[in-house]
């Protein structure tokens, strides 16, 4: 902690202890803005002491960052989780802390040694079911809405015992989901068919949404040991209006909310003294006028800019000027679909001309490395689409190489090509992993065939890009994405698989077989508009028929306009859903 700025060291005397757990190593967890926000929110409460836990490095022990105490000293354990691949770490950390991994096996009494385990983060409102058996309660939504109030209620009612306490909180507060009160049942086809719900509990859990912010969320802690290394992060808003059919964030954060430029600047002004490196989150969706105003502030403050990626059709002269003065050498743009046709299928809306102009303008502004993000395995994808991606890189080089030669340094192009995994709450949630064609319920192909096809497509791209100098490609392993897709679309039975992997030392395929589960049933067999979806326990306000209609539109390459918040009623979030 010696190199941190923004951390709390509070005395325990007279305060209630709360653990905040991130199921990955320190450098990863400290890069999570949501994790930092919750840490700060809880520690701002005078009667609480909140301490952080991270996955120990090899040979390390599971103790808190602040005081070195074990997890067994805390009555309440919050977990912030954003990625499916951290599920295994979550279970391991509970077990290492002396907490029974299964919530229904924990003692009635809540206190040190038998804490209440509460999970939040993106996973809680995407699909919490694969880890539901490990969690006493999920906080579903954005913490600013009621987390402090819920936390106070838990401590005020802790003497009730685990079951009664959870029922009280889950009936009195929106966004609080106690899995023990919801009992899944399964159909003859082996798929989940619905839930039986205990009396007095809501049928579905309404996600909590922050609708307005006078000061954009920003970094609360800085350390050189984080993945972003002392980069001060500020969000430009939440959600995205574009409605890309593959993107979870574009749907689970509806309605999209863009903070105005004044709120973003207010967040930037909270940075620590001497901090000049700023990262903006959500630049893909920001309005041009707001980006220009923010760019003007950053230039006037002597700050340099960093970001994850840019929309190729949102690059302005002011932004290019800021990039040049920030001495930023690497920028990413995301075509996502390999061809212009596929970008219509996924509702990305970027034309080849947008991508060529963006590349040329960015390299002219001083960029030395251009990253391109692509996905393989999208619905309707063909080899012709992949060839168009290869040709696009050639056209980009024809635009940027003369610029590089004139300055004596050619721009490198790095293509990141990854396998597409259909996610809950998107129109492609109905689609099978790794298959181009639309399968109908009951139809399937083998997981082995799907992985083989994805490997062939990645090889096709790599071979195509190899013809160009200063172009490289990296990619994921389709076998790993297969497991991610399983976790993403799984139900509660997947918890048994995760537990077996830890306690029996087997891999996920062996664990699936031991529990009589078929991989293809979860990730390759498709859903239709009549299928029950395990993640529908969460209520985002999105009309299911809207997502289904968007899925069908993709096969006709039909675009859907960006969200017009307040005046549009199509998806249901801002009113009654209509097609």
């Amino acid at each position: 902690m010696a190199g941190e700025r923004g951390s709390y060291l509070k005395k325990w005397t007279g305060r209630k202890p709360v653990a905040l757990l991130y199921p990955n190593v320190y450098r990863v967890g400290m890069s999570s803005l949501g994790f930092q926000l919750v840490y700060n929110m809880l520690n701002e409460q005078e009667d609480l002491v909140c301490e952080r836990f991270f996955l120990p490095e090899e040979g390390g022990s599971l103790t808190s960052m602040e005081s070195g105490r074990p997890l067994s000293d805390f009555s309440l354990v919050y977990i912030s989780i954003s990625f499916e691949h951290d599920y295994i770490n979550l279970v391991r950390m509970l077990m290492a802390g002396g907490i029974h991994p299964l919530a229904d096996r924990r003692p009635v009494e809540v206190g040190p040694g038998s804490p209440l385990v509460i999970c939040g983060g993106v996973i809680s409102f995407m699909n919490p079911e694969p880890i539901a058996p490990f969690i006493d309660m999920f906080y579903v939504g954005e913490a600013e809405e009621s987390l402090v109030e819920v936390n106070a209620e838990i401590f005020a009612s802790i003497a009730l015992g685990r079951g009664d306490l959870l029922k009280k909180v889950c009936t009195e507060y929106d966004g609080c989901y106690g899995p023990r009160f919801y009992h899944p049942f399964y159909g003859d086809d082996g798929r989940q068919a619905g839930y039986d719900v205990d009396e007095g509990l809501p049928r579905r859990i309404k996600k909590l949404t922050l609708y307005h912010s006078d000061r954009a969320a920003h970094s609360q802690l800085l350390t050189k040991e984080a993945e972003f290394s002392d980069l001060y992060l500020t969000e430009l808003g939440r959600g995205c209006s574009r409605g890309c059919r593959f993107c979870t964030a574009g749907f689970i954060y509806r309605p999209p909310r863009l903070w105005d430029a004044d709120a973003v600047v207010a967040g930037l002004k909270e940075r620590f003294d001497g901090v000049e490196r700023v990262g903006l989150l959500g630049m893909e969706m920001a309005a041009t006028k707001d980006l220009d105003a923010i760019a003007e502030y950053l230039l006037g403050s002597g700050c340099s800019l960093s970001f994850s990626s840019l929309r190729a059709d949102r690059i302005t002269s002011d932004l290019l000027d800021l990039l040049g003065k920030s001495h930023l050498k690497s920028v990413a743009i995301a075509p996502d679909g390999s061809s212009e046709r596929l970008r219509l299928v996924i509702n990305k809306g970027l034309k080849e001309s947008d991508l060529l102009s963006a590349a040329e303008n960015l390299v002219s502004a001083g960029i030395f490395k251009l990253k391109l993000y692509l996905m393989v395995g999208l619905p309707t994808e063909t080899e012709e689409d992949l060839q168009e991606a290869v040709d696009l890189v050639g056209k980009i080089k024809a635009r940027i190489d003369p610029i590089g030669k004139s300055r004596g340094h050619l721009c490198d192009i790095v293509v990141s090509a990854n396998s597409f995994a259909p996610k809950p709450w998107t129109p492609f949630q109905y689609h099978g992993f790794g298959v181009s064609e639309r399968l109908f319920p009951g139809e399937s192909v083998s997981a082995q065939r799907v992985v083989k096809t994805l490997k062939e497509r990645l090889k096709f791209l790599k071979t195509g890009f190899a013809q160009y100098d200063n172009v490289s490609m990296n990619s994921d392993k389709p076998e790993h994405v297969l497991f991610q897709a399983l976790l993403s679309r799984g139900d509660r039975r997947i918890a048994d698989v995760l537990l077996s992997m830890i306690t029996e030392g087997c891999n996920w395929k062996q664990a699936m077989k031991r529990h009589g589960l078929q991989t293809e049933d979860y990730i390759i067999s498709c859903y239709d508009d009549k299928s029950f979806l395990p993640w529908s326990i969460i209520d985002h306000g999105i009309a299911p028929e809207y997502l289904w209609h968007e899925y069908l539109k993709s096969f006709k390459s039909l675009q859907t306009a960006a969200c017009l918040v307040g005046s549009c009623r199509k998806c249901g979030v801002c009113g009654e859903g209509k097609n």
Side-chain angles (χ1 to χ4, degrees):
M1 287 181 60
E4 290 184 349
R5 284 184 281 181
S7 52
Y8 287 82
L9 286 172
K10 299 173 76 172
K11 293 182 179 180
W12 278 51
T13 305
R15 292 190 172 102
K16 307 176 186 73
V18 176
L20 179 59
L21 184 153
Y22 193 93
N24 209 312
V25 294
Y26 177 82
R27 66 180 182 276
V28 176
M30 283 293 289
S31 300
S32 168
L33 187 57
F35 178 81
Q36 291 192 20
L37 290 174
V38 171
Y39 175 73
N40 189 68
M41 285 174 61
L42 294 175
N43 271 313
E44 282 185 333
Q45 309 308 305
E46 182 58 33
D47 64 334
L48 299 180
V49 53
C50 177
E51 300 194 354
R52 295 163 294 160
F53 287 78
F54 299 96
L55 183 71
E57 302 281 0
E58 188 170 348
S61 58
L62 184 65
T63 55
S64 71
M65 290 292 301
E66 284 73 10
S67 66
R69 294 174 184 261
L71 201 57
S72 58
D73 282 359
F74 296 80
S75 300
L76 187 53
V77 175
Y78 283 108
I79 300 167
S80 177
I81 186 165
S82 300
F83 304 105
E84 296 95 343
H85 59 238
D86 287 336
Y87 289 172
I88 286 282
N89 295 337
L90 183 156
V91 181
R92 285 186 172 132
M93 289 179 75
L94 291 177
M95 295 173 71
I99 301 171
H100 200 289
L102 296 174
D104 63 5
R105 300 282 297 277
R106 293 172 194 147
V108 172
E109 298 79 12
V110 175
S114 60
L116 201 68
V117 177
I118 300 176
C119 185
V122 176
I123 292 300
S124 71
F125 50 102
M126 185 171 74
N127 179 17
E129 293 308 282
I131 56 172
F134 308 128
I135 305 300
D136 288 310
M137 190 182 87
F138 289 94
Y139 182 89
V140 179
E142 297 170 19
E144 296 96 333
E145 277 299 282
S146 66
L147 181 61
V148 170
E149 291 80 6
V150 169
N151 183 82
E153 181 63 52
I154 289 171
F155 276 111
S157 305
I158 203 165
L160 292 175
R162 195 174 306 270
D164 290 342
L165 166 59
L166 288 169
K167 188 161 188 179
K168 177 178 174 60
V169 174
C170 291
T171 53
E172 294 183 3
Y173 290 86
D174 286 340
C176 293
Y177 168 37
R180 67 175 58 211
F181 306 123
Y182 297 80
H183 313 282
F185 57 87
Y186 303 88
D188 294 336
D189 61 356
R191 283 189 165 183
Q192 187 175 340
Y195 289 94
D196 289 323
V197 182
D198 286 2
E199 186 177 353
L201 278 297
R203 296 292 306 174
R204 300 176 71 201
I205 312 303
K206 183 179 178 181
K207 181 201 71 178
L208 299 168
T209 301
L210 177 70
Y211 286 96
H212 178 73
S213 179
D214 293 322
R215 185 177 59 191
H218 54 272
S219 293
Q220 304 293 332
L221 302 101
L222 286 182
T223 172
K224 293 184 184 298
E225 303 302 318
E227 286 195 339
F228 297 133
S229 185
D230 266 344
L231 182 68
Y232 183 86
L233 300 175
T234 305
E235 65 175 17
L236 300 182
R238 294 182 186 173
C240 179
S241 63
R242 301 298 304 193
C244 297
R245 294 179 177 122
F246 63 88
C247 179
T248 311
F251 291 90
I252 65 174
Y253 282 105
R254 289 195 175 197
R257 292 140 289 151
L258 284 171
W259 311 141
D260 60 38
D262 289 341
V264 176
V265 170
L268 290 169
K269 288 181 176 178
E270 293 291 315
R271 66 189 185 278
F272 301 99
D273 291 341
V275 172
E276 296 179 349
R277 294 181 62 241
V278 169
L280 297 179
L281 304 177
M283 290 189 68
E284 303 90 339
M285 64 171 182
T288 300
K289 62 179 179 62
D290 288 336
L291 276 179
D292 288 346
I294 295 163
E296 182 180 353
Y297 167 78
L298 290 174
L299 282 170
S301 302
C303 291
S304 62
L305 178 64
S306 181
F307 45 84
S308 55
S309 66
L310 281 173
R311 268 195 69 91
D313 55 357
R314 290 282 182 89
I315 300 175
T316 67
S317 57
D318 284 350
L319 184 58
L320 288 169
D321 187 34
L322 177 59
L323 292 179
K325 292 179 179 178
S326 297
H327 305 293
L328 197 63
K329 301 305 179 187
S330 176
V331 167
I333 54 178
D336 291 317
S338 293
S339 68
E340 196 157 308
R341 183 194 70 82
L342 269 183
R343 290 190 287 276
L344 290 174
V345 169
I346 65 179
N347 205 41
K348 181 74 176 185
L350 286 179
K351 297 180 179 179
E352 182 180 275
S353 58
D354 296 324
L355 297 165
L356 294 175
S357 296
E360 185 173 7
N361 289 333
L362 289 168
V363 174
S364 295
I367 295 302
F368 285 92
K369 179 184 287 185
L370 183 65
K371 300 177 184 177
L372 300 175
Y373 295 147
L374 292 175
M375 291 183 287
V376 299
L378 288 165
T380 78
E381 184 180 81
T382 65
E383 193 171 285
E384 288 74 19
D385 296 308
L386 302 179
Q387 183 60 50
E388 190 170 318
V390 174
D391 296 341
L392 172 65
V393 169
K395 293 175 183 179
I396 289 175
K397 283 187 64 63
R399 292 278 193 103
I400 67 174
D401 278 1
I403 303 170
K405 288 176 182 177
S406 69
R407 68 188 181 194
H409 192 299
L410 289 178
C411 179
D412 294 323
I413 297 176
V414 179
V415 180
S416 179
N418 297 303
S419 303
F420 165 64
K423 295 286 188 175
W425 294 109
T426 69
F428 289 156
Q429 67 181 354
Y430 304 102
H431 200 76
F433 169 69
V435 294
S436 295
E437 66 273 24
R438 177 188 164 196
L439 301 177
F440 292 88
E443 291 185 297
S444 187
V445 295
S446 72
Q448 184 178 11
R449 174 186 150 188
V450 165
V451 168
K452 181 174 181 291
T453 298
L454 291 172
K455 286 182 175 179
E456 290 170 349
R457 292 182 179 180
L458 291 169
K459 183 179 180 181
F460 180 93
L461 288 176
K462 191 160 192 173
T463 302
F465 296 138
Q467 67 184 287
Y468 304 120
D469 293 332
N470 298 93
V471 176
S472 61
M473 178 184 129
N474 56 59
S475 62
D476 56 20
K477 293 186 177 181
E479 305 97 311
H480 295 171
V481 187
L482 184 74
F483 184 44
Q484 180 195 357
L486 172 69
L487 298 177
S488 176
R489 300 212 297 185
D491 55 32
R492 289 195 194 177
R493 293 173 293 185
I494 298 303
D496 294 329
V497 173
L498 295 170
L499 199 53
S500 288
M501 291 172 66
I502 296 171
T503 59
E504 301 173 35
C506 57
N507 63 41
W508 69 269
K509 292 179 181 178
Q510 293 168 332
M512 288 284 286
K513 186 174 182 180
R514 292 182 189 186
H515 291 283
L517 302 174
Q518 295 292 323
T519 301
E520 289 80 2
D521 290 344
Y522 282 95
I523 60 176
I524 297 175
S525 296
C526 292
Y527 295 102
D528 64 15
D529 57 335
K530 298 179 180 61
S531 302
F532 180 84
L533 305 174
W535 48 91
S536 64
I537 188 71
I538 306 301
D539 182 7
H540 286 279
I542 300 174
E545 58 269 23
Y546 174 79
L547 295 176
W548 176 249
H549 185 55
E550 281 293 302
Y551 178 56
L552 297 182
K553 283 176 71 175
S554 71
F555 290 94
K556 300 177 182 178
S557 300
L558 296 176
Q559 282 194 278
T560 296
C563 285
L564 295 172
V565 178
S567 61
C568 173
R569 298 291 183 269
K570 289 183 179 179
C571 79
V573 171
C574 296
E576 294 299 319
K578 299 174 184 176
N579 280 335

